[in-house]
Amino acid sequence: MSQETEHVKCLIIGSGPAGYTAAIYAARADLKPVLYTGIVPGGQLTQTTDVENFPGYADGVQGPQMMEDFRKQAERFGTDVRFGYITSVDFAGDVHKVVVDAEKTITAETVIIATGATAKWLGLESEQKYNGFGVSACAVCDGFFFKGQDVAIVGAGDTAAEEATYLAKLTNKVHMLVRRDEFRASKAMQHRVLNTPNIEIHYHSETKEIVGDGQNVTGVRVYNNQTLEEKVLPVTGFFVAIGHKPNTELFQGILDMDTNGYLITKPDSTRTNIEGVFACGDVQDHIYRQAVTAAGTGCMAALEAERYLAAKEFSIA
Ligand code: NDP
């Protein structure tokens, strides 16, 4: 490892709506933030097509374009945006140490973690092929595009139950694919699904392939894992709701996390259990997971970092 070390006031890890919003606020507060993008610059939104629910874009916007706009806005105020991946962190001392690409050490007075979460996918080739063209991992983001149509959703946890009932309000019919003979979701959520007339539950059902015409989804081939019987359900939308994985491996044993690996922040705050380390966006939110809520907590993190530094300077003076 090289001995190169750089000192910064504010280091931001992650380049989704949370990271870039934190950068905009931190840069405007003269914290001279350095932001490392991670391996997917722009985060999850670069893997979607139309974004229609982010306020300010009256005609909607493509996800990658929106993240370009976020980046430009952060850079306009002087954020130093760098492509790089954080490979280790050491938050034990007064100044936090972060290693980039296993090479460069940065010491930072404040660290804002905005590393996001990753949707879990089934891992089918056809799922990748039609991602953004009928396949989605977010009903709230993309359900609107399937108004009045027939869709399928895979999963049986609280997310799948919540998203199935959301889709049922917009679409004509929801086929819910459950791989066992029972749900994992809470009883209350199950009750809601079972009492929604346009949700048809297919137990013991797994997805073999998403069928399409080369451009859009036209159906889903499912099989019964008891009888091995196959059938194609004619749907135009296929939603995957089998969970998310917060990107927190780096912080294991260092920052407080819940049992699913989401970072725990103090109530009404983005503060973690370590002074000067803040977390915002999906890495600490398994409930809302929206670009706008991530941006909101990004703003909070930068304001809290600024106040933390101001209080520290005041106590030294
Ligand atoms: P969960 O891990 O709870 O559930 C995942 C579901 O996906 C399970 O039913 C699982 O099936 C199924 N699944 C996993 N892999 C596959 C696969 N390859 N093929 C088919 N099905 C698969 O994730 P959630 O996102 O639903 O929930 C995460 C956490 O967030 C939970 O603690 C949940 O309670 C919470 N949550 C709370 C909400 C609320 O309170 N309003 C809303 C949403 C989430 P199986 O059951 O067979 O393992």
Side-chain angles (χ1 to χ4, degrees):
M1 192 193 292
S2 98
Q3 295 306 303
E4 188 190 353
T5 299
E6 179 186 3
H7 184 74
V8 302
K9 263 191 184 172
C10 178
L11 182 77
I12 300 170
I13 311 175
S15 55
Y20 278 136
T21 304
I24 293 165
Y25 275 78
R28 286 170 58 82
D30 211 22
L31 302 188
K32 301 190 171 31
V34 169
L35 179 150
Y36 277 93
T37 60
I39 36 181
V40 186
Q44 290 182 82
L45 276 168
T46 56
Q47 282 148 28
T48 61
T49 49
D50 302 276
V51 178
E52 294 197 327
N53 55 5
F54 198 88
Y57 289 100
D59 300 318
V61 61
Q62 294 286 300
Q65 179 60 50
M66 184 167 112
M67 296 323 299
E68 267 295 290
D69 293 346
F70 267 86
R71 182 183 57 76
K72 283 189 202 146
Q73 193 175 356
E75 285 182 333
R76 182 155 78 90
F77 298 110
T79 305
D80 185 348
V81 176
R82 301 177 186 172
F83 181 75
Y85 190 74
I86 307 304
T87 43
S88 67
V89 299
D90 174 357
F91 296 155
D94 197 26
V95 174
H96 306 305
K97 282 192 199 140
V98 166
V99 177
V100 186
D101 295 326
E103 276 190 341
K104 177 185 169 99
T105 301
I106 296 193
T107 53
E109 286 166 56
T110 59
V111 178
I112 295 178
I113 297 166
T115 47
T118 309
K120 290 185 191 161
W121 297 96
L122 296 172
L124 302 169
E125 208 178 294
S126 52
E127 174 189 52
Q128 251 185 3
K129 179 173 172 187
Y130 291 107
N131 189 0
F133 300 92
V135 172
S136 166
C138 179
V140 177
C141 317
D142 299 324
F144 182 80
F145 301 115
F146 302 93
K147 235 177 176 176
Q149 301 172 35
D150 288 5
V151 299
I153 185 165
V154 55
D158 280 326
T159 302
E162 200 169 77
E163 298 206 340
T165 47
Y166 178 84
L167 288 168
K169 289 196 198 109
L170 293 170
T171 62
N172 178 54
K173 178 165 186 156
V174 179
H175 294 279
M176 190 162 187
L177 309 176
V178 175
R179 67 179 173 181
R180 291 185 293 141
D181 62 352
E182 60 176 359
F183 279 80
R184 180 179 295 272
S186 61
K187 286 278 180 274
M189 293 302 293
Q190 285 185 42
H191 190 69
R192 224 183 280 176
V193 168
L194 295 168
N195 284 290
T196 306
N198 62 338
I199 299 178
E200 184 180 343
I201 301 162
H202 303 258
Y203 289 106
H204 286 303
S205 289
E206 294 190 46
T207 308
K208 185 143 197 193
E209 144 183 64
I210 291 116
V211 184
D213 59 11
Q215 292 212 303
N216 295 299
V217 170
T218 56
V220 55
R221 187 184 304 280
V222 297
Y223 68 97
N224 182 302
N225 56 25
Q226 305 285 292
T227 62
L228 301 184
E229 194 189 317
E230 284 188 21
K231 63 184 169 192
V232 174
L233 302 170
V235 296
T236 49
F238 182 79
F239 290 87
V240 181
I242 60 172
H244 283 76
K245 194 175 161 296
N247 301 319
T248 53
E249 292 85 352
L250 264 182
F251 313 112
Q252 258 160 25
I254 300 173
L255 295 179
D256 289 348
M257 300 179 188
D258 69 13
T259 49
N260 293 315
Y262 286 88
L263 296 184
I264 296 174
T265 49
K266 310 280 178 204
D268 300 326
S269 156
T270 61
R271 282 181 295 126
T272 66
N273 55 305
I274 304 269
E275 289 246 317
V277 178
F278 306 86
C280 53
D282 287 11
V283 74
Q284 52 84 58
D285 168 25
H286 68 271
I287 299 173
Y288 302 105
R289 293 197 298 248
Q290 298 302 299
V292 69
T293 48
T297 54
C299 161
M300 286 167 64
L303 293 177
E304 288 185 283
E306 184 194 354
R307 285 169 198 166
Y308 166 81
L309 287 171
K312 215 169 149 190
E313 272 169 33
F314 185 72
S315 69
I316 291 167

